[in-house]
Amino acid sequence: MDRMKELVKILNKYAYEYYVLDNPTVSDAEYDRLYDELKKMEEQTGIVLFDSPTKRVGGEPISSFKKHKHIERLYSLDKSTTVEELLAFDKKINKDGEQYDYTVEYKFDGLTVCLTYSDGKFVRATTRGNGVEGEDVTAQVLTIKSFPLLIDYSGTLEVQGEAIIKLSVLDEYNKTALEPLKNARNAVAGAIRNLDPKVTEKRRPEIMFYNVNYMSDGSLSSQKECVEFLIEHGFKVHPFFKICPDINSVISAINEIEINRKTLDILTDGAVIKVNDFSRRKELGATDKFPRWAMAFKFEAEEITTILKDVVWQVGRTGKLTPLGLLDPVELGGATVRKATLNNYGDVLRKGIKKGARVLIRRSNEVIPEILGTTEITPDCEDVVKPEICPSCNSKLEEIGANLFCTNRSCRTRVIAKLTNFACKNGMDIEGFSEKTAGVLFDDLGVNSFSGLYTLDREKILDLDGFKDAKTDNILSAIEKSKNVPLANFIYALGIDNVGKKTAKDLAERFKNIENLKTATLETLSGIDDIGEIIAECIVEYFADPENVKEIDALLSIGVNPVFEEKVKAGVFSGEKVVLTGTLTDFKRDEAGKIIESLGGEVVGSVSKNTTLVLAGENAGSKLDKAKKLNVKIIGEEEFKLLIKS
């Protein structure tokens, strides 16, 4: 029994570090070894301690949800979308002339849940329901590992949080799901409100806590104390929490959230503003629907539904066909959206896409929106027909897995996309070269290969419409200049499927020259960090194609010289793993990153226990918060300047 208690204590500590702090101290293998030991002892003794981690698995399906009445009502929040509405809210709060502090937190877009504890033990979990009565989802919530089963509190307690599914977890789930989930909000609602707890467990939700709804013993005086109570008792709380002395500070905090929320791995749709002082809250009271002391500020929608009018097929540089949805125009994120992408024909089938159907679309980070799924199908809707020939050159298509490919290497659209990618800034960086230029060279001079760019005849270019002496000389000079190219740029320029800027850089650092990369095995490639089996297969297949190897050899014989420059090992950032966050005044992020690398450092994308340094500019958000929590060294731009000067 002593060993079982010890194992439960150790495993719960490790789970808290992993699921709540995002800072694991042991490997998965070590955790699994101890977990298996505990499970074996439980099977031998027939005893399972109350807070044993073995309880957090999906049990058998339940027949129906039971209703449960909350001890205290769970209110929803009134909403605002403009600064004017916030100012009006502030005027009501401070009408007696005294200024009260506000708190500002992220508003997560998930499913509200309420957890009840009695004498320190977890009793049940319910949905918010109508605020007075919700559904008992204890069996489902028990599969979640981001809350404690035992707490150091002797009375009755209700805590409130938002069940969410991380965007990265959702993406991973959808890769193998028979029916992909439309978005993180629907995914978590379906996970919690599912009669089969095994479905909940498979979707891997977690809970972000933000409120103590009821406590029988003791009291809290402010939202600040409330959040501190939750953290102290082991509940997962998002690190962003601002106390604002006035409404102008609230607006600044909201602006900070709006800037940084796109970097989060969690779906957010706004900010929550609350009066910090609980005695003032009591004076203000509530309406039938909302508390008068709180307000949700909603950002512009990033998801919306509209009608899919048609689907057309675009040909990319590798010959892969991508379906593009033509939409009834709709306003989304401050722009009029008329088109949205799908991944491939397999994606069309999995999402049940039909012409004339109402579809859910998402727009984020200023890129072309994506069709997430179908929300309404009528009898008039039409199937999306799988094309049999290339829409550009009429060649027969080849079907590989869920994708369709044009096999004609001379397909006009394919060649133009390939040449444009080859010449781009992350590739050979041929200044002044555009998609239009690629089209003219293909149509009038028959340029259909990379090497063809390096054998262009000046007189023939001058005969083309729009090409006078200066423009012609500029293009030829830029092409000649591109011969001396960093190896990472050259790899990117080749247009290998699924190999982007980051992967190209990783490959350059690993193999040092193009000849080594040519002969790399699947096993070797798969062993490189951030290069999975799919990308590795794409690389191997590319170099297994004799035409691709022939083209590379032609480029090298013409004088193209891909060079890998070893990073300086000694320098002020030697051995440092550096994360950049926020806005720098005197440097672009890429420039600062290159300086760090030139002085021996390694630039990484996210803060983890392996990060040794964070360079934080203005409006640094969640990465800075996490760095503080992990006690990572943080420097500002002025200190950065002093370091590189030294």
Side-chain angles (χ1 to χ4, degrees):
M1 182 59 71
D2 288 343
R3 177 57 177 164
M4 288 174 69
K5 288 180 179 178
E6 181 186 18
L7 286 170
V8 167
K9 184 178 180 180
I10 292 170
L11 288 166
N12 284 337
K13 172 182 176 289
Y14 291 159
Y16 174 75
E17 292 168 344
Y18 186 95
Y19 293 104
V20 178
L21 300 182
D22 295 321
N23 184 32
T25 56
V26 295
S27 66
D28 290 348
E30 174 67 5
Y31 180 91
D32 291 343
R33 184 182 68 77
L34 296 174
Y35 183 93
D36 291 342
E37 182 185 349
L38 174 62
K39 193 171 181 181
K40 187 175 180 180
M41 294 176 76
E42 289 176 344
E43 290 170 353
Q44 290 171 344
T45 62
I47 298 171
V48 179
L49 297 174
F50 181 82
D51 56 339
S52 170
T54 63
K55 284 187 172 183
R56 297 181 185 267
V57 294
E60 293 303 310
I62 61 176
S63 58
S64 63
F65 290 113
K66 295 176 182 178
K67 298 292 185 181
H68 176 77
K69 191 172 183 179
H70 306 301
I71 301 173
E72 292 281 353
R73 179 173 177 175
L74 298 177
Y75 283 98
S76 57
L77 296 177
D78 199 3
K79 296 176 179 62
S80 60
T81 57
T82 65
V83 170
E84 288 73 23
E85 289 172 320
L86 286 176
L87 293 174
F89 168 71
D90 177 62
K91 191 174 181 180
K92 291 176 184 176
I93 299 297
N94 298 296
K95 61 183 178 182
D96 58 1
E98 185 175 349
Q99 179 66 57
Y100 293 93
D101 286 349
Y102 296 103
T103 61
V104 180
E105 303 165 69
Y106 274 95
K107 182 180 182 298
F108 298 114
D109 200 3
L111 182 75
T112 301
V113 291
C114 183
L115 275 59
T116 305
Y117 289 78
S118 179
D119 294 327
K121 292 184 177 181
F122 170 69
V123 176
R124 75 179 60 84
T126 60
T127 61
R128 192 186 79 85
N130 60 13
V132 176
E133 189 178 64
E135 293 174 325
D136 190 316
V137 289
T138 304
Q140 289 75 12
V141 169
L142 262 175
T143 68
I144 299 173
K145 300 177 177 65
S146 54
F147 74 93
L149 295 177
L150 276 178
I151 60 173
D152 185 18
Y153 183 83
S154 58
T156 301
L157 183 77
E158 275 191 352
V159 293
Q160 186 179 352
E162 195 81 356
I164 55 98
I165 290 179
K166 287 185 176 178
L167 301 177
S168 58
V169 171
L170 178 65
D171 288 342
E172 198 64 32
Y173 176 89
N174 278 342
K175 287 177 183 178
T176 56
L178 293 175
E179 185 177 346
L181 303 169
K182 295 182 181 68
N183 58 28
R185 180 181 60 255
N186 292 349
V188 74
I192 301 297
R193 298 192 70 259
N194 195 296
L195 295 174
D196 187 353
K198 286 188 173 65
V199 172
T200 313
E201 184 180 28
K202 189 174 181 183
R203 294 189 189 180
R204 293 165 53 200
E206 52 189 76
I207 304 172
M208 286 288 182
F209 292 90
Y210 52 82
N211 183 41
V212 175
N213 193 54
Y214 172 83
M215 60 193 315
S216 63
D217 297 347
S219 63
L220 301 169
S221 64
S222 66
Q223 181 65 15
K224 180 176 181 289
E225 281 190 16
C226 175
V227 169
E228 289 171 347
F229 176 91
L230 291 168
I231 293 171
E232 180 187 345
H233 288 82
F235 295 97
K236 185 163 188 171
V237 174
H238 192 271
F240 186 95
F241 181 80
K242 296 274 186 178
I243 297 177
C244 301
D246 53 46
I247 199 66
N248 290 326
S249 301
V250 167
I251 293 167
S252 295
I254 291 171
N255 290 336
E256 186 177 342
I257 286 177
E258 186 161 22
I259 290 168
N260 294 323
R261 71 190 181 106
K262 295 183 188 297
T263 67
L264 292 187
D265 196 18
I266 304 172
L267 188 64
T268 64
D269 61 353
V272 177
I273 303 99
K274 301 174 185 174
V275 172
N276 187 34
D277 186 86
F278 281 8
S279 61
R280 180 56 177 161
R281 289 186 185 184
K282 190 173 182 179
E283 293 170 2
L284 291 165
T287 68
D288 288 342
K289 293 182 178 179
F290 312 117
R292 293 190 178 95
W293 43 264
M295 175 72 73
F297 187 88
K298 297 270 285 184
F299 299 129
E300 283 189 281
E302 291 191 336
E303 295 178 2
I304 200 166
T305 62
T306 188
I307 301 300
L308 176 68
K309 297 193 294 187
D310 199 1
V311 173
V312 296
W313 296 84
Q314 297 182 313
V315 186
R317 66 179 188 269
T318 64
K320 184 190 295 183
L321 268 66
T322 303
L324 180 71
L326 306 182
L327 310 168
D328 265 351
V330 62
E331 291 298 313
L332 180 60
T336 301
V337 175
R338 294 181 171 84
K339 299 174 182 178
T341 62
L342 291 151
N343 292 320
N344 47 45
Y345 186 67
D347 201 28
V348 170
L349 295 178
R350 287 197 311 143
K351 293 176 178 176
I353 303 300
K354 292 181 182 290
K355 291 189 283 185
R358 181 168 291 277
V359 294
L360 179 67
I361 59 173
R362 176 199 290 157
R363 180 176 185 266
S364 59
N365 297 327
E366 308 303 321
V367 297
I368 188 167
E370 176 190 4
I371 297 177
L372 300 175
T374 307
T375 62
E376 183 183 13
I377 297 175
T378 66
D380 297 330
C381 293
E382 300 176 26
D383 290 337
V384 176
V385 178
K386 180 171 66 175
E388 295 183 357
I389 60 172
C390 174
S392 175
C393 67
N394 294 327
S395 298
K396 190 171 176 61
L397 299 176
E398 181 180 3
E399 189 168 359
I400 303 175
N403 294 297
L404 299 168
F405 289 86
C406 172
T407 56
N408 176 17
R409 290 177 180 270
S410 297
C411 171
R412 183 183 189 276
T413 305
R414 180 179 174 181
V415 170
I416 290 171
K418 185 173 69 169
L419 293 176
T420 305
N421 177 79
F422 181 79
C424 75
K425 189 172 184 63
N426 291 328
M428 303 298 284
D429 194 14
I430 301 176
E431 191 175 347
F433 194 97
S434 64
E435 183 178 338
K436 184 178 179 181
T437 304
V440 171
L441 295 179
F442 176 86
D443 293 335
D444 296 340
L445 299 181
V447 177
N448 62 3
S449 65
F450 304 145
S451 56
L453 295 174
Y454 295 91
T455 57
L456 286 169
D457 184 277
R458 184 177 185 276
E459 297 306 317
K460 288 183 179 179
I461 298 176
L462 284 170
D463 289 338
L464 302 176
D465 287 341
F467 282 82
K468 295 182 179 178
D469 285 343
K471 183 175 180 178
T472 298
D473 290 339
N474 287 341
I475 283 286
L476 289 174
S477 174
I479 291 172
E480 183 65 25
K481 183 181 176 183
S482 74
K483 286 182 177 179
N484 293 307
V485 60
L487 178 59
N489 287 53
F490 183 74
I491 294 169
Y492 180 89
L494 295 177
I496 304 169
D497 201 14
N498 287 315
V499 173
K501 178 183 174 183
K502 167 75 166 55
T503 303
K505 183 179 176 182
D506 291 343
L507 292 171
E509 290 178 355
R510 172 65 177 79
F511 294 102
K512 308 298 192 270
N513 62 60
I514 196 67
E515 295 303 322
N516 289 339
L517 179 57
K518 275 186 193 178
T519 57
T521 64
L522 185 64
E523 183 180 8
T524 301
L525 290 162
S526 300
I528 300 172
D529 287 346
D530 298 328
I531 295 182
E533 191 173 332
I534 293 175
I535 298 177
E537 286 175 355
C538 290
I539 297 167
V540 170
E541 287 171 8
Y542 182 89
F543 289 107
D545 187 328
E547 290 296 319
N548 291 334
V549 175
K550 182 180 177 182
E551 177 64 5
I552 292 170
D553 291 342
L555 288 168
L556 299 179
S557 66
I558 287 166
V560 173
N561 182 33
V563 176
F564 175 73
E565 293 184 4
E566 288 281 1
K567 287 194 296 187
V568 176
K569 298 299 180 185
V572 70
F573 296 109
S574 181
E576 302 276 18
K577 291 183 181 291
V578 187
V579 170
L580 287 79
T581 182
T583 304
L584 301 175
T585 304
D586 295 333
F587 304 90
K588 291 181 179 178
R589 286 262 202 100
D590 282 352
E591 291 172 346
K594 287 176 181 176
I595 291 170
I596 290 167
E597 289 175 345
S598 72
L599 294 173
E602 178 185 352
V603 177
V604 293
S606 59
V607 177
S608 72
K609 64 177 183 178
N610 297 319
T611 307
T612 61
L613 183 67
V614 169
L615 169 56
E618 294 294 321
N619 298 315
S622 58
K623 291 179 181 178
L624 179 60
D625 293 335
K626 189 168 184 180
K628 290 176 180 176
K629 188 162 66 174
L630 297 178
N631 293 318
V632 176
K633 183 180 178 182
I634 300 164
I635 62 170
E637 188 168 358
E638 291 307 312
E639 188 175 350
F640 176 67
K641 289 178 186 176
L642 291 173
L643 285 170
I644 61 178
K645 189 177 180 181
S646 70

